[in-house]
Amino acid sequence: MKTSLSLNDYLNRSVLEIEEALRASIPEEWDIPPKLREAMLYSLEAGGKRLRPILVLSAAEAVGRAEHARKLAMPVACAVEMVHTYSLIHDDLPAMDDDDFRRGKPTNHKIYGEAMAILAGDGLLTHAFFAVTRAVSLGAPPEAVLAIVSDLARLAGAPGMVGGQAADMQGEQGVTSLEELEYIHLHKTSDLLVFSVLAGARIGGASSEQLEALQRFARRLGLAFQIQDDILDLVGDAAKLGKPVQSDVEERKVTYPYLIGMEESEKLVVRLTQEAKQALAEAKLETPDTLLAIADYLMSRDH
């Protein structure tokens, strides 16, 4: 489906604000080796749709007073983008996916070498936790920030995104069941989306019941998003996707369409999206419309 002008405006405005916040996120007064700072900023400022930080902002707005919640949530939005960027830097390394380009630019290690790329990723990951703590100085409740730090360590770490990446790497060519593939998708992709929604909701002051419903929303949305990505790799428009299509086939990756076929994969995306929307309705948010519109956008073939 086509996104509405109002959603496009919201996404564009959010990207501009996030880009500005990211540029200022590493204090200039810090004594950092110039090449390390340059390598960190090279990938952090490389562009992208910024969907994860936008989810942080929109979840905070949906629960709390919009502009106030958005201001408090911005450091956390920057943090999740730092974690996402670090994971991409490391994914692109020769020991992992061995990619030469990311977002239309040479990958970090192609510019700065493998050792500096590893350190740039390390720097962004650790700086993400500092960024989260900055929300306290803006007025966010310390207990909410503490919970966000705990969520980030878990959902981006060994039981979350890193665990999903490890399972993906170990299971290449050897994934034979939907259970194995679902584990990879839920952790490698979905967990950072879950963190984004939960973090924003915590900043906005969500109740425990709202957090539980929003976790279900984000978990199902994340899985649907990754299955849709598997589908788009086969039938999508490379210009819109910003990456080559048919790459999963060429690399002989096991995907949902490979295991259960295209038709069943598309049906599963529809079912998971419906379940995500039902969970969002059960959260009983004050202003859920933007989160709902973003969910529709993520499931469209225009993202």
Side-chain angles (χ1 to χ4, degrees):
M1 63 174 282
K2 296 290 184 182
T3 55
S4 67
L5 180 61
S6 60
L7 178 60
N8 283 333
D9 286 346
Y10 180 87
L11 295 175
N12 291 335
R13 168 201 169 198
S14 297
V15 167
L16 289 175
E17 291 179 358
I18 291 163
E19 301 275 357
E20 182 179 359
L22 287 172
R23 283 192 292 271
S25 63
I26 303 176
E28 291 186 6
E29 64 271 19
W30 282 12
D31 186 15
I32 299 172
K35 191 61 71 174
L36 175 60
R37 181 190 291 271
E38 182 182 325
M40 290 169 67
L41 290 173
Y42 173 80
S43 293
L44 191 61
E45 298 179 352
K49 296 181 177 69
R50 310 299 192 191
L51 293 175
R52 290 157 190 82
I54 287 173
L55 280 172
V56 175
L57 300 180
S58 59
E61 291 170 332
V63 177
R65 290 180 290 125
E67 287 304 319
H68 179 65
R70 188 181 183 88
K71 178 182 177 183
L72 297 185
M74 186 58 77
V76 182
C78 289
V80 75
E81 190 65 13
M82 290 173 194
V83 172
H84 179 55
T85 301
Y86 116 79
S87 74
L88 298 180
I89 293 173
H90 285 188
D91 275 353
D92 291 336
L93 289 166
M96 298 283 281
D97 291 343
D98 195 15
D99 285 322
D100 294 339
F101 291 92
R102 170 72 64 177
R103 293 168 174 167
K105 298 172 63 176
T107 46
N108 198 290
H109 68 276
K110 287 294 181 179
I111 300 294
Y112 300 100
E114 291 180 41
M116 189 58 73
I118 292 170
L119 292 171
D122 293 345
L124 287 171
L125 171 60
T126 49
H127 191 60
F129 289 91
F130 173 81
V132 170
T133 65
R134 287 192 61 243
V136 175
S137 66
L138 296 178
E143 61 273 17
V145 174
L146 180 60
I148 290 169
V149 169
S150 177
D151 284 345
L152 184 58
R154 176 173 55 87
L155 291 168
M161 181 187 70
V162 172
Q165 290 171 320
D168 188 27
M169 183 178 65
Q170 290 182 319
E172 284 179 359
Q173 319 307 323
V175 175
T176 58
S177 72
L178 279 178
E179 289 76 16
E180 291 175 288
L181 188 56
E182 182 178 279
Y183 179 91
I184 292 168
H185 281 1
L186 281 174
H187 295 294
K188 184 176 180 180
T189 300
S190 184
D191 275 351
L192 215 53
L193 297 179
V194 171
F195 168 78
S196 300
V197 172
L198 287 181
R202 290 189 190 280
I203 289 289
S207 67
S208 58
E209 292 79 11
Q210 287 176 317
L211 289 171
E212 192 278 329
L214 286 169
Q215 179 165 307
R216 285 189 284 112
F217 160 73
R219 188 174 174 86
R220 283 160 175 75
L221 182 66
L223 182 56
F225 176 70
Q226 184 57 59
I227 298 171
Q228 180 79 320
D229 196 61
D230 289 350
I231 293 169
L232 290 177
D233 185 76
L234 295 174
V235 301
D237 184 329
K240 288 182 179 179
L241 295 175
K243 61 181 181 179
V245 294
Q246 300 287 330
S247 59
D248 289 345
V249 175
E250 292 173 7
E251 295 169 18
R252 299 170 68 185
K253 285 187 177 181
V254 177
T255 64
Y256 270 80
Y258 175 87
L259 280 181
I260 65 175
M262 182 68 74
E263 183 178 351
E264 289 302 313
S265 296
E266 291 179 335
K267 287 180 181 178
L268 184 56
V269 167
V270 171
R271 178 172 65 79
L272 288 167
T273 303
Q274 290 172 341
E275 291 176 357
K277 290 181 177 181
Q278 177 60 34
L280 184 60
E282 292 170 6
K284 298 179 181 178
L285 304 176
E286 289 187 19
T287 54
D289 290 354
T290 301
L291 270 181
L292 185 60
I294 291 172
D296 283 335
Y297 170 66
L298 288 174
M299 291 301 100
S300 75
R301 297 197 175 187
D302 293 334
H303 72 261

